[in-house]
Amino acid sequence: MKTIIGVSFHQAGKIYYFDPTGYEDIQRGTQVVVETAKGVELGKVVLPPTEMEDDNIVAPLKEIMRIATDEDIKKSESNKAKADEAYKICLEKIAKHELEMKLVMAEYTLDQKKLLFYFTADGRIDFRELVKDLAAVFRVRIELRQIGVRDETKLIGGVGICGRPLCCHSYLTEFIPVSIKMAKEQNLSLNPTKISGVCGRLMCCLKNEEEAYEELNKTLPSVGNTVSTRDGLRGEVQSVSVLRQRVKVIVTLDNDEKEIREYHVSDLKFKRDSGKDVDFGSVEREGFADDDELGSEIEELEQLEQLEQLEKEDGVADKKQSKKNNKGKNNQGAKQRPGNKKNNKTNGNHSKQSGKQNGKQNFGNKGNKGNKGNGDYKSKGGKNGKKNNGKQ
């Protein structure tokens, strides 16, 4: 176990670990100056000193240089203004060299010894001449990094189709692996425009409820499966409600007429796709109220409201006790069998489903790291850039 401190350099950016020696009492939100692979940078503490397993740490840890001063903060703001100007100049140079690349952002290190440009492109770009021009203009070390479209969206930010700020820009520190299977598990439309985010990739939020849906789907029959009901009917599954654990079945009646009825999964007998048989009641109604109990409670409430109205109209004190006694008798009775057709129909019109979802929402699963540039080009002054192999 080692004591570490977590520092981030962008909003919802990746967390980097440093050695907190000499700064054991530092608080979350404190701005610090640290040295990274890019150079000297200004970051914010997002994880106060805490112990962590050695396997999760890449040794050796660098120490914090100092807590940011007012001068450091002013210099950082000044660097952002200069980076905006550098962004415009770089756009002009890109147009001059007719390069098929999209410039995303420019960034200075705190000590202004390095200027980084982030861009996206469909393939590898030969921008050696561009690096020479930029180095001649800014007289600092130039580095161009190619990033993916998801990283571009994370840096720029935006608003999703839900009307909220993008997850990757607001709280996701690392990207989560997302697949089309997650959309199928949640019965979502497979229309790409419906399940794709601003970046054009599958929405990160598909992962949020994937585990809960995956667990609940294990107890349900598939659409098109043949099932048997408690009331002795057989039919074909028309649709399922995963969260309510309800199934709509097209049943065949005695007169050969077909009718759509809704059942709780515990009232069905069927064979799963895996070949395992599921008998009546093998799926518990945990977290879901029984239809007969709900129907009985609603009837009691309706009777109580009627009695209260009669009491107001009559205003007879001696009848009050007798009406309460009548109410108590009317509320007593045996529980109706779920297999009774009439009872099911009546209770279905008056009952409400409530309960808890059997599953957990996971917002913080381990995800794949954001795509890094496939080529880093560095140059000092007007010298030719030095090509470093990176990850894409």
Side-chain angles (χ1 to χ4, degrees):
M1 299 287 285
K2 273 188 177 181
T3 303
I4 56 92
I5 186 172
V7 178
S8 179
F9 303 98
H10 297 282
Q11 181 176 349
K14 183 180 177 181
I15 300 175
Y16 295 88
Y17 301 138
F18 293 88
D19 186 355
T21 302
Y23 299 94
E24 289 80 4
D25 297 332
I26 198 167
Q27 300 296 319
R28 186 194 305 271
T30 304
Q31 290 184 305
V32 294
V33 177
V34 294
E35 184 179 359
T36 67
K38 297 178 184 178
V40 179
E41 293 189 87
L42 178 68
K44 181 182 290 187
V45 176
V46 294
L47 186 66
T50 184
E51 291 187 347
M52 183 170 289
E53 296 288 345
D54 293 342
D55 296 339
N56 299 329
I57 301 172
V58 179
L61 293 177
K62 292 186 177 182
E63 296 184 357
I64 295 174
M65 296 177 63
R66 62 180 181 274
I67 294 179
T69 62
D70 292 339
E71 184 179 350
D72 292 327
I73 296 174
K74 289 179 181 179
K75 193 173 183 179
S76 176
E77 295 296 328
S78 175
N79 288 346
K80 290 180 181 178
K82 290 183 179 180
D84 291 339
E85 293 297 325
Y87 178 88
K88 296 176 183 177
I89 295 174
C90 186
L91 284 178
E92 296 174 358
K93 297 295 183 181
I94 291 173
K96 175 184 175 182
H97 291 278
E98 298 180 349
L99 297 175
E100 295 182 358
M101 54 189 288
K102 179 184 176 182
L103 188 63
V104 177
M105 190 179 74
E107 181 183 40
Y108 268 103
T109 56
L110 185 64
D111 54 8
Q112 295 185 358
K113 291 184 178 180
K114 184 188 289 186
L115 177 57
L116 299 96
F117 294 97
Y118 299 91
F119 71 95
T120 60
D122 293 335
R124 296 184 65 89
I125 304 295
D126 183 5
F127 40 69
R128 286 173 290 184
E129 296 300 322
L130 174 63
V131 173
K132 292 179 183 178
D133 288 353
L134 294 174
V137 172
F138 298 107
R139 300 293 179 181
V140 294
R141 189 175 182 183
I142 302 295
E143 185 172 330
L144 280 86
R145 291 193 172 188
Q146 184 172 355
I147 60 176
V149 290
R150 299 182 80 188
D151 298 281
E152 175 190 6
T153 306
K154 183 178 180 66
L155 288 173
I156 297 175
V159 178
I161 59 174
C162 59
R164 298 178 62 86
L166 296 176
C167 300
C168 60
H169 184 69
S170 55
Y171 71 90
L172 286 180
T173 57
E174 293 183 353
F175 288 112
I176 303 170
V178 185
S179 66
I180 197 68
K181 179 185 175 184
M182 298 178 184
K184 293 179 180 178
E185 286 277 0
Q186 300 174 45
N187 290 331
L188 297 176
S189 170
L190 298 184
N191 186 340
T193 60
K194 299 291 185 182
I195 57 177
S196 298
V198 176
C199 60
R201 302 293 187 265
L202 290 174
M203 294 188 294
C204 297
C205 58
L206 290 176
K207 180 66 177 177
N208 293 351
E209 298 180 357
E210 189 265 340
E211 286 190 2
Y213 275 91
E214 197 174 61
E215 188 67 26
L216 291 172
N217 276 326
K218 293 179 181 178
T219 64
L220 293 171
S222 300
V223 175
N225 283 8
T226 301
V227 297
S228 300
T229 67
R230 280 189 185 273
D231 44 15
L233 299 175
R234 287 179 62 83
E236 181 180 322
V237 176
Q238 183 196 48
S239 63
V240 295
S241 175
V242 181
L243 298 181
R244 295 174 59 231
Q245 293 285 280
R246 307 287 293 185
V247 182
K248 284 187 178 180
V249 183
I250 304 175
V251 297
T252 303
L253 304 179
D254 296 337
N255 55 1
D256 291 336
E257 291 183 359
K258 293 188 180 294
E259 182 179 318
I260 298 177
R261 294 187 180 180
E262 188 177 46
Y263 297 89
H264 188 273
V265 67
S266 62
D267 296 331
L268 299 176
K269 182 178 180 180
F270 58 92
K271 180 175 288 188
R272 289 180 181 160
D273 296 337
S274 60
K276 183 179 179 181
D277 290 331
V278 179
D279 207 344
F280 300 122
S282 60
V283 179
E284 298 181 0
R285 289 179 178 244
E286 183 179 353
F288 296 90
D290 185 81
D291 290 346
D292 296 329
E293 293 177 355
L294 281 173
S296 177
E297 291 174 0
I298 292 173
E299 289 176 358
E300 290 176 3
L301 290 174
E302 291 176 349
Q303 292 174 5
L304 182 59
E305 290 176 356
Q306 292 174 1
L307 288 174
E308 289 176 347
Q309 184 65 27
L310 288 173
E311 288 174 359
K312 292 179 181 179
E313 293 176 354
D314 294 341
V316 181
D318 55 46
K319 291 184 179 180
K320 185 175 182 180
Q321 187 63 36
S322 63
K323 289 181 180 180
K324 286 185 177 179
N325 294 336
N326 291 335
K327 177 197 70 173
K329 293 179 181 179
N330 291 335
N331 290 338
Q332 295 176 356
K335 188 183 295 184
Q336 299 174 353
R337 294 181 59 190
N340 190 302
K341 300 178 184 178
K342 294 182 180 180
N343 292 341
N344 282 344
K345 191 173 182 180
T346 302
N347 294 334
N349 293 334
H350 297 285
S351 65
K352 297 180 180 177
Q353 286 291 347
S354 63
K356 301 176 181 178
Q357 297 181 2
N358 299 329
K360 299 180 180 179
Q361 295 184 354
N362 189 341
F363 296 89
N365 291 343
K366 291 183 178 180
N368 64 330
K369 297 182 179 179
N371 300 329
K372 294 184 179 178
N374 68 348
D376 296 344
Y377 289 80
K378 302 179 181 178
S379 174
K380 200 176 247 184
K383 296 181 181 180
N384 292 336
K386 183 179 178 180
K387 180 176 179 182
N388 291 335
N389 293 326
K391 298 179 181 178
Q392 186 168 1

